Amino acid sequence: MNFNVVVLAAGRGKRMRSKTPKILHEALGMPMLQHVINAVKPLNPAKTVVVIGNGAESVKQRMAVEGHLSFVVQRQLLGTGDALSVARKELKKGAILVLNGDCPLITTKTLRTLIQKHKRSRNALSFLVFRDSSQAGYGRILRDENGWVAGIVEDKHATPEQKAKFQELNGGVYILEAEVLKHLESIKRNRTSGEYYLTDIIGIAARNRKKVEAYLCSPEEIRGVNNREELFEVADILRKRIVKKWMSRGVTFINPDASFVSPMAHIGQDTIIYPNTYLEGATKIGDNCIIFPGTRINDSVIGNDVTIKDNTLIEQSRIGSGSSIGPFAHLRPHTVTGRGVKIGNFVETKKSTLGDGTKASHLSYIGDAVISRNVNIGAGTITCNYDGKNKFKTVVESGVFIGSDSQLVAPVRIGKGAYVAAGSTVTKDVPAGSLAITRVKQQNLTGWVKKKKSRVKS
Ligand code: UD1
Ligand code: CA
């Protein structure tokens, strides 16, 4: 079917009490609007138009990655009916699938089913409804004595009788054929709110004997977000959905209620995820990994058989298979490790590569460094990469042993198999196979303590 999509996303979102446009508020680290776009994309619509208004520029910027979207600006926020009128001018011929931008739970599958039912029944207008007596603020579907859809009344305008009698709630997802669209112009401004309600088109179409049909859908798919409480509820439904999916694919969650997994993340089989862990963005975790509590991994790729110990932060990095990271490690962007690497307690890395089998087990800062294979970086080693103005590179060739508490003042290169004695400050390149030692020679003053004490007494 040739059809267009319109996403209504111009609203103020007053009930959010926020300076950020409502549809940019995130569920699982992704704007609500992006969730809706992701559900729509696989349907291959002829055109997808997003109606923006409040915070239009920031919405455009945030959604810039979605190059296929067209944006139209609704100058005055006069309601959902007005929003669709504004979009209509931009549309190609064919039916229109309209969605509210604040319903991030909607799935492609449900939209596809709606489109199929709409087509098969040759409806002029089809839309999704749900039942959930715990919810308020939704439009109610009015039905005539024969059970046909007769219209929608908004919650705030519904009489107690209507509320008691009509339990179906409007999900805000509609397909409209051209024969119904023309009735957009007949929508009247609501006297109390001053808005043009898109929902009024349902009653108008019904009165004009158009075939209007409402399809029941799960509340887990259609809940809208108008305030922060609903944002949490919807995000939690999404979170559970994603965690369940990974459990069904062979991932263990010690406490599924306490793990956050981004919709873009991927987790391999037999990986075990402890509570209070955050897998953000397009993070990819391999098979057989263990992610211990308090870990946050953002946009990173973790190989197979990796252990990430407690309270570790990994950002935009790649970890080779069989490595062990943490506890309390901070891998800043562009850390890349080979296989079987160990990065231990209180080690910070940044823009550095560590070759296969290299170990930095305790208390180090490794920045702007290229460290080759099987290097041992002793406790307290620091790459001094910054002179206050510029950053310099440290190169450590394979098999090097850096003694504890050493400073490598960049730019500097430590040759293959070299040793740096503990406590050295290395300012010059170290040739392969040599020992660099820069500390003062030790003297032992025998009997010094006794002499000092007798001096104090006299
Ligand atoms: C709307 C429906 C309601 C339905 C509910 C489902 C109307 C009148 N009511 O109510 O029947 O149960 O959604 O979630 O449509 N928007 C614009 N321009 C505007 C006003 C709103 O683009 O001038 C956008 C908003 O950004 C939002 C969507 O339209 O994404 C819905 O608006 P909102 O104010 O949230 O409507 P609800 O009161 O939730
Ligand atoms: Ca809403």
Side-chain angles (χ1 to χ4, degrees):
M1 186 172 95
N2 199 23
F3 71 104
N4 301 278
V5 169
V6 175
V7 182
L8 308 182
R12 262 182 298 266
K14 243 192 292 181
R15 292 164 276 185
M16 292 297 281
R17 295 183 180 275
S18 175
K19 294 196 171 93
T20 305
K22 176 167 78 175
I23 43 85
L24 288 189
H25 278 266
E26 294 179 351
L28 295 191
M30 195 189 266
M32 282 194 258
L33 179 59
Q34 181 74 58
H35 284 279
V36 174
I37 298 298
N38 287 356
V40 163
K41 238 193 294 186
L43 302 169
N44 284 322
K47 199 167 179 188
T48 302
V49 175
V50 182
V51 184
I52 52 177
N54 178 53
E57 273 317 304
S58 53
V59 178
K60 260 194 211 168
Q61 258 173 28
R62 186 70 197 262
M63 300 304 291
V65 279
E66 298 292 334
H68 67 288
L69 299 178
S70 314
F71 293 95
V72 292
V73 177
Q74 185 189 12
R75 302 256 164 239
Q76 270 183 297
L77 303 179
L78 294 175
T80 47
D82 178 64
L84 185 57
S85 305
V86 172
R88 204 179 154 199
K89 299 173 191 112
E90 294 293 315
L91 296 174
K92 299 192 173 137
K93 279 214 169 68
I96 303 180
L97 172 66
V98 181
L99 300 98
N100 288 350
D102 63 356
C103 60
L105 294 172
I106 195 77
T107 64
T108 306
K109 195 172 159 209
T110 297
L111 293 175
R112 195 168 275 142
T113 311
L114 174 67
I115 292 171
Q116 277 164 2
K117 285 180 177 166
H118 171 81
K119 254 195 334 195
R120 215 173 296 145
S121 312
R122 296 175 192 279
N123 295 337
L125 195 167
S126 309
F127 64 108
L128 291 175
V129 299
F130 69 108
R131 287 172 185 275
D132 187 343
S133 52
S134 69
Q135 295 303 313
Y138 291 89
R140 279 167 193 271
I141 317 309
L142 308 175
R143 289 187 182 265
D144 66 18
E145 54 283 4
N146 299 317
W148 294 106
V149 173
I152 295 183
V153 60
E154 287 306 302
D155 199 37
K156 58 185 168 197
H157 306 307
T159 62
E161 293 74 37
Q162 284 172 324
K163 284 189 184 178
K165 194 170 170 195
F166 301 110
Q167 306 293 323
E168 288 166 296
L169 306 178
N170 173 24
V173 177
Y174 325 81
I175 304 182
L176 303 90
E177 295 292 338
E179 53 180 311
V180 176
L181 271 171
K182 64 172 194 229
H183 294 304
L184 264 179
E185 290 142 33
S186 322
I187 295 177
K188 300 238 161 38
R189 216 167 168 165
N190 184 280
R191 259 186 253 140
T192 347
S193 65
E195 289 187 12
Y196 296 90
Y197 292 160
L198 173 57
T199 43
D200 284 353
I201 208 167
I202 277 100
I204 299 172
R207 284 195 293 282
N208 282 280
R209 306 196 170 281
K210 305 288 180 201
K211 198 164 176 229
V212 177
E213 198 84 73
Y215 294 102
L216 195 66
C217 152
S218 148
E220 301 263 297
E221 291 236 0
I222 201 81
R223 291 271 309 273
V225 173
N226 295 319
N227 54 43
R228 307 262 181 170
E229 203 176 328
E230 287 169 350
L231 177 64
F232 165 73
E233 288 164 5
V234 160
D236 204 48
I237 292 171
L238 272 171
R239 197 190 56 73
K240 287 196 174 104
R241 200 189 275 172
I242 290 168
V243 167
K244 259 194 186 154
K245 173 182 88 180
W246 291 114
M247 289 199 285
S248 76
R249 294 185 188 180
V251 176
T252 293
F253 285 85
I254 303 294
N255 178 359
D257 278 338
S259 290
F260 172 110
V261 182
S262 142
M264 295 180 293
H266 185 279
I267 313 171
Q269 210 178 352
D270 289 320
T271 282
I272 301 172
I273 313 257
Y274 274 74
N276 196 17
T277 42
Y278 294 78
L279 308 181
E280 300 176 336
T283 289
K284 187 167 184 281
I285 312 279
D287 294 347
N288 255 324
C289 294
I290 306 184
I291 317 281
F292 280 108
T295 295
R296 182 158 76 86
I297 307 177
N298 176 280
D299 279 325
S300 296
V301 180
I302 314 289
N304 300 326
D305 308 299
V306 172
T307 302
I308 299 182
K309 294 181 185 165
D310 318 43
N311 298 305
T312 291
L313 168 58
I314 302 178
E315 307 165 282
Q316 294 142 55
S317 292
R318 299 175 75 92
I319 307 301
S321 292
S323 297
S324 168
I325 313 292
F328 297 99
H330 184 187
L331 276 54
R332 289 167 52 201
H334 311 298
T335 297
V336 178
T337 89
R339 293 165 168 267
V341 163
K342 183 171 179 209
I343 296 178
N345 320 248
F346 306 106
V347 173
E348 174 184 345
T349 61
K350 185 217 83 179
K351 219 176 180 184
S352 292
T353 60
L354 288 82
D356 294 353
T358 283
K359 292 186 173 67
S361 300
H362 338 259
L363 300 157
S364 282
Y365 172 62
I366 301 169
D368 302 302
V370 178
I371 298 173
S372 189
R373 278 172 294 124
N374 300 319
V375 171
N376 200 311
I377 297 174
T381 299
I382 309 280
T383 54
C384 309
N385 59 332
Y386 187 47
D387 64 0
K389 250 190 189 164
N390 296 306
K391 299 273 166 75
F392 300 96
K393 205 162 144 183
T394 301
V395 179
V396 180
E397 294 181 358
S398 63
V400 162
F401 182 96
I402 314 258
S404 298
D405 193 28
S406 295
Q407 297 93 54
L408 310 177
V409 182
V412 73
R413 170 182 286 267
I414 319 290
K416 198 169 169 182
Y419 274 60
V420 170
S424 295
T425 302
V426 179
T427 52
K428 290 187 287 197
D429 288 357
V430 180
S434 14
L435 168 71
I437 179 161
T438 71
R439 63 191 181 221
V440 174
K441 242 193 186 151
Q442 182 171 336
Q443 299 176 53
N444 290 333
L445 307 179
T446 35
W448 182 88
V449 175
K450 211 173 170 186
K451 272 188 232 160
K452 180 174 180 254
K453 280 186 183 157
S454 65
R455 242 186 284 137
V456 172
K457 261 186 224 157
S458 58

